[in-house]
Amino acid sequence: MISTITRQVTVLLLAILTIQSVAQKSGSETAENTKISSLLAKMTLEEKIGQLAQFHLWSRNNDVEQLSAVIRRGGVGSFLNAGDRANKEKLQRVAVEESRLGIPLIFGRDVIHGYRTVFPIPLGQAASWNPDLVQKAAAVSAKEATQMGIHWTFAPMLDIARDPRWGRIAESPGEDPFLASAMAAAMTQGFQGDGLADPHTIAACAKHYVGYGAAEGGRDYNTTLIPEHELRSIYLPPFKAAVDAGAATIMSAFNDLNGIPTSGNPFTLRQILRSEWGFDGFVVSDWNSMTEMIPHGFCADEREVAIKALTAGVDMEMVSESYQHHLKGLIESGMLAEKLLDEAVANILRVKFRLGLFENPYPIAYDATVILHPDHLKIARELTAQSLVLLKHDAAVLPIQKTAKTIAIIGPLADSPLDQMGTWTPDGKAEDAVTPLQAFQKAAADYEILYAKGLETPRSSERALFAEAVAAAQKADLAILFVGEDHLISGEARSRAFLNLPGAQEALVAEIAATGTPVVMVILAGRPLTFAPLIDKAAAILYAWHPGTMGGPAIVDVLSGKTSPSGRLPVSFPRTVGQVPVYYNHRNTGRPAPKEMLGIPLGTPEDPKGYVSNYLDADFTPQYPFGYGLSYSSIEYQDLRLSSGKLHPGEALSVSVQVQNNGQYPADEVVQLYIRDRTASVTRPVKELKGFQRISLPAGESRKVTFRFGEQDLAFWNIDMQFTAEAGLFEVMVGSSSADEDLLKEAFELVNDPAD
Ligand code: NOJ
């Protein structure tokens, strides 16, 4: 009874607080709307259309005079890549001091995983499973970027990706909507801080809305076919999380989604984004993605592009100029309602007001100490260390033992500063990056370092440098090989049909392993690679992604044991490219293959496979599952307990597990909670991540970890496309990865009737 009353009082208090905050919000919103509508009332048709234009310096061949002339007549609302601070200030002065209404420009830039302090690629950041640290990194990016007069970043990139052939998986938060949503909120909050008006924050842009990561065949810009159910369950949640966290802008994508390009798609842009989610910022198209609706076969010409994009809800046009060329005529002839234009302008002005651009249009006073500040490098080192995933560790080689007196550092990525920064780092500088070789040399008090490149670049097939590398390995007690992908083959338009180590790297690893010196393979890459033939050759494997500026020191921290390896895969790793897509939250099928039916070779004389969902020539399971990652200790999960076998509406269940560090090293562990809905009105995934906790466990210690969840955590898009939970049986699983063998399992029932 007491608890019921307490609950009612709490609900009442919450309701009052909510009403108060709505009232406060509507007060400031009214003031904001008044400012917007009074400015809008003063604008000519041309000036309104001008606000919708996002130029690049190239838009007028880098000719500042020509650009200034367009700005002066109110013909530009924004620039991307507007050059250095001085250039931005020059353009802004024209807008503010020489245009009729003095509306400031908003300057955008791709600050994707850092400005000068470059953090791991976003896929690597997701591997940290540490939203707090990711938020700090985004705040650092904002601090550095605002020094350069940047107001707005084209990040976070939130495309769920199940296909490592797609080069942009590097920018993605991975395959899981729950983890991606946590990253989405963290990055948005990091960029935008406590408020956009703070001159050290920047507006976020959740992109690429939506489904872009599902490109057929992993080929960039390719068609996407995603049923609405899957769109809502898998691809939309991270965007919703960004919107809920206050993301100021959204970028519409390049892809054709179910026959309608996303830059002309009223269902995703108007119905879902504006009506269902209440988004009140602005939508910018991707680079020429509006006019690309012509080759898509969705628009006959630029005029139709302008009609379809504005009607769908794209507010600002990046680089292409269909709005500039056609909106005036379309509105004057009555083909388009001016109200649509007014809405788009209002959305853009709203963000400009929120950013405080009318009060502070010019770059903040320059403070050189902000760039690469030691605190920023510290956060980068910490986040990078937490992004590193130990995939294999079956010999006593790691952490590096005292017996390893001579260490051979080998490989084309051991000392390649530009490559380690990865894709999309237009402002990162190679000279700022500390490579693994440099970091080892600096830390080398305890051991002698021998260095041999082995291959000129990761894509080289010329083996002239092998002999030197083999000689170094022969002299050493331990060989650490840095192999993988160079930055140029990961990222936009960098799709690959093969996922193996490029060039002669496999041969290099094999030759070094043949020396008998224990091999630690450190893989730097923008995507999951396939390297099954090398797994047995290495005593340990560390997946380092493209780790950024502080990659070297962070890798040394982890290899030396100063920091526990604690990254966990944000995406499943295939055994072979033919398995793609392979992802953990798949449905079960009517004929799931049993785990013991692995790897029966094609040459088998009988017919041993049965009629189940399997491959004849490869295992169907991933090489490494989603959520997987080791530490130097052995961690045991035991004693899974549910607070009840029944969950009633409005109540919560708690599930606890005892996590024990049985090893001799301290460990950071990511405890993961998965749920399976056994039967529903639509088929459900075999498991879905619903919670995770990062904990530190000293050697020999044990800790109880508890999660709580309620009916709302079991909700899904049902057969009537309603987001709700359905009564019935569920499984709850807790453990160290998404693989069955790493999870403890219990069952419970969601009951509708409180009396049950
Ligand atoms: C195209 C890319 O798809 C997008 O992610 C980026 O923000 C824009 N170009 C601007 O550079």
Side-chain angles (χ1 to χ4, degrees):
M1 185 62 169
I2 290 177
S3 77
T4 312
I5 292 170
T6 316
R7 211 169 42 238
Q8 282 167 355
V9 171
T10 314
V11 169
L12 193 67
L13 275 175
L14 276 175
I16 292 168
L17 286 174
T18 313
I19 291 165
Q20 275 177 353
S21 81
V22 168
Q24 278 162 8
K25 203 174 164 201
S26 44
S28 62
E29 261 172 21
T30 313
E32 188 180 79
N33 287 339
T34 311
K35 283 198 281 189
I36 294 169
S37 40
S38 63
L39 184 51
L40 205 52
K42 293 184 202 142
M43 295 171 79
T44 63
L45 194 53
E46 289 83 350
E47 284 165 339
K48 290 178 186 172
I49 296 167
Q51 283 304 305
L52 274 51
Q54 182 177 63
F55 274 23
H56 192 282
L57 294 181
W58 304 336
S59 300
R60 295 294 177 270
N61 299 320
N62 266 333
D63 181 337
V64 175
E65 282 322 306
Q66 276 195 56
L67 290 168
S68 300
V70 189
I71 299 170
R72 204 168 286 123
R73 60 167 196 267
V76 190
S78 170
F79 271 84
L80 80 156
N81 306 339
D84 60 13
R85 274 174 63 98
N87 211 44
K88 288 194 198 88
E89 181 162 346
K90 198 174 334 154
L91 298 172
Q92 190 72 301
R93 285 210 182 274
V94 180
V96 172
E97 293 168 18
E98 298 176 31
S99 76
R100 194 177 73 90
L101 293 170
I103 302 175
L105 297 162
I106 171 170
F107 293 117
R109 179 95 172 144
D110 287 288
V111 184
I112 307 297
H113 52 114
Y115 185 75
R116 276 285 290 279
T117 303
V118 176
F119 299 95
I121 52 169
L123 190 62
Q125 293 190 36
S128 74
W129 294 57
N130 191 339
D132 292 344
L133 203 47
V134 167
Q135 180 172 338
K136 283 188 189 155
V140 165
S141 303
K143 260 193 186 160
E144 293 192 356
T146 48
Q147 287 294 317
M148 297 298 150
I150 292 164
H151 308 131
W152 173 29
T153 174
F154 303 124
M157 193 277 215
L158 300 175
D159 296 310
I160 294 290
R162 294 167 163 177
D163 192 335
R165 293 172 299 180
W166 189 52
R168 299 199 84 169
I169 196 171
E171 292 173 66
S172 143
E175 76 187 31
D176 178 65
F178 186 88
L179 180 62
S181 297
M183 293 297 146
M187 288 189 187
T188 303
Q189 282 156 5
F191 289 131
Q192 299 194 164
D194 291 333
L196 289 179
D198 177 339
H200 302 285
T201 62
I202 51 181
C205 181
K207 72 184 188 185
H208 307 82
Y209 190 73
V210 56
Y212 179 45
E216 276 188 358
R219 197 147 48 90
D220 207 2
Y221 317 118
N222 209 359
T223 307
T224 63
L225 291 164
I226 310 172
E228 182 180 341
H229 188 271
E230 193 75 348
L231 192 68
R232 288 188 181 274
S233 311
I234 304 291
Y235 294 90
L236 286 167
F239 287 93
K240 170 80 163 55
V243 169
D244 288 347
T249 72
I250 298 278
M251 186 186 292
S252 68
F254 290 122
N255 55 304
D256 168 341
L257 175 66
N258 304 328
I260 303 178
T262 44
S263 290
N265 195 318
F267 173 63
T268 52
L269 291 169
R270 284 216 185 264
Q271 182 177 318
I272 295 178
L273 183 64
R274 297 274 178 202
S275 309
E276 296 183 22
W277 297 352
F279 173 69
D280 69 354
F282 72 82
V283 175
V284 62
S285 73
D286 202 346
W287 185 292
N288 286 348
S289 67
M290 279 174 43
T291 47
E292 287 173 16
M293 295 199 289
I294 301 170
H296 271 300
F298 188 63
C299 300
D301 50 27
E302 255 199 6
R303 188 169 166 276
E304 197 178 354
V305 166
I307 298 173
K308 286 196 166 163
L310 194 71
T311 310
V314 178
D315 302 308
M316 184 180 278
E317 180 170 9
M318 185 187 283
V319 179
S320 59
E321 297 187 25
S322 57
Y323 283 164
Q324 302 309 295
H325 300 158
H326 298 284
L327 281 189
K328 187 161 184 274
L330 286 165
I331 289 169
E332 283 174 347
S333 66
M335 279 288 292
L336 273 179
E338 188 164 354
K339 186 174 164 290
L340 278 180
L341 173 64
D342 287 353
E343 273 172 23
V345 178
N347 293 334
I348 294 166
L349 293 178
R350 188 173 299 115
V351 173
K352 289 187 174 181
F353 277 120
R354 287 181 185 171
L355 275 165
L357 293 183
F358 287 85
E359 296 80 21
N360 298 303
Y362 303 116
I364 52 177
Y366 185 64
D367 176 358
T369 63
V370 170
I371 303 295
L372 298 167
H373 189 282
D375 291 348
H376 300 180
L377 298 177
K378 191 164 166 259
I379 292 171
R381 185 168 180 164
E382 204 181 335
L383 178 55
T384 309
Q386 294 193 13
S387 76
L388 305 176
V389 186
L390 187 65
L391 296 177
K392 179 177 177 183
H393 172 236
D394 68 355
V397 291
L398 290 183
I400 296 171
Q401 303 293 301
K402 294 246 175 316
T403 46
K405 299 268 185 249
T406 306
I407 299 180
I409 302 290
I410 297 172
L413 291 170
D415 193 29
S416 188
L418 190 60
D419 288 321
Q420 79 182 44
M421 290 199 295
T423 184
W424 276 121
T425 52
D427 300 294
K429 293 201 187 318
E431 61 264 31
D432 301 333
V434 187
T435 67
L437 177 66
Q438 290 164 350
F440 266 111
Q441 282 164 339
K442 202 166 166 208
D446 299 341
Y447 26 71
E448 188 195 348
I449 296 292
L450 307 173
Y451 170 57
K453 223 174 175 185
L455 282 164
E456 204 47 60
T457 76
R459 279 182 279 158
S460 310
S461 42
E462 170 56 60
R463 301 179 184 202
L465 303 178
F466 272 30
E468 186 198 4
V470 167
Q474 278 164 341
K475 280 185 229 141
D477 304 305
L478 180 66
I480 308 183
L481 264 93
F482 292 86
V483 291
E485 290 183 321
D486 53 285
H487 78 288
L488 276 177
I489 62 167
S490 125
E492 186 175 349
R494 306 293 193 262
S495 298
R496 294 184 60 194
F498 296 94
L499 293 175
N500 50 328
L501 294 176
Q505 294 184 96
E506 285 192 8
L508 177 66
V509 177
E511 290 216 9
I512 301 300
T515 62
T517 302
V519 166
V520 174
M521 188 161 72
V522 181
I523 302 178
L524 285 80
R527 50 160 67 81
L529 294 175
T530 54
F531 43 90
L534 303 179
I535 295 174
D536 285 345
K537 300 191 190 304
I541 303 173
L542 186 72
Y543 216 80
W545 318 103
H546 282 140
T549 308
M550 294 305 279
I555 289 171
V556 173
D557 287 346
V558 165
L559 293 182
S560 65
K562 185 175 159 211
T563 306
S564 162
S566 62
R568 301 291 181 263
L569 296 179
V571 64
S572 308
F573 272 41
R575 294 171 189 275
T576 166
V577 74
Q579 281 183 311
V580 172
V582 53
Y583 53 94
Y584 86 95
N585 49 356
H586 57 83
R587 291 180 175 77
N588 202 32
T589 81
R591 295 186 177 195
K595 280 273 159 65
E596 57 274 17
M597 273 193 118
L598 298 175
I600 297 172
L602 271 177
T604 305
E606 316 93 64
D607 176 12
K609 275 296 199 183
Y611 290 84
V612 293
S613 182
N614 208 343
Y615 293 108
L616 282 175
D617 47 2
D619 296 351
F620 66 88
T621 57
Q623 186 75 61
Y624 299 108
F626 173 83
Y628 176 81
L630 304 171
S631 64
Y632 294 137
S633 271
S634 92
I635 307 292
E636 195 182 342
Y637 285 70
Q638 50 203 341
D639 204 15
L640 184 73
R641 278 174 204 244
L642 257 178
S643 55
S644 165
K646 286 192 177 175
L647 174 61
H648 294 99
E651 292 182 354
L653 281 187
S654 61
V655 57
S656 65
V657 71
Q658 206 64 39
V659 188
Q660 163 90 32
N661 180 348
N662 285 330
Q664 43 172 323
Y665 298 102
D668 283 354
E669 178 70 2
V670 179
V671 184
Q672 301 162 37
L673 169 83
Y674 296 88
I675 292 225
R676 177 173 186 182
D677 187 346
R678 292 298 317 198
T679 316
S681 59
V682 294
T683 58
R684 307 285 296 120
V686 294
K687 45 183 86 87
E688 292 175 288
L689 182 71
K690 292 289 181 183
F692 58 89
Q693 290 181 40
R694 227 176 196 281
I695 57 164
S696 293
L697 267 184
E701 283 199 13
S702 166
R703 195 161 130 197
K704 183 170 157 182
V705 175
T706 305
F707 295 91
R708 278 169 71 80
F709 59 90
E711 188 189 3
Q712 68 284 359
D713 299 302
L714 310 177
F716 67 103
W717 293 95
N718 74 3
I719 192 150
D720 301 318
M721 210 56 82
Q722 284 165 343
F723 191 67
T724 183
E726 291 176 359
L729 273 185
F730 289 79
E731 279 165 13
V732 55
M733 294 157 268
V734 181
S736 61
S737 92
S738 65
D740 287 341
E741 54 274 23
D742 292 335
L743 292 166
L744 298 174
K745 198 189 287 185
E746 270 290 351
F748 69 92
E749 191 186 348
L750 173 67
V751 285
N752 267 340
D753 185 350
D756 268 358

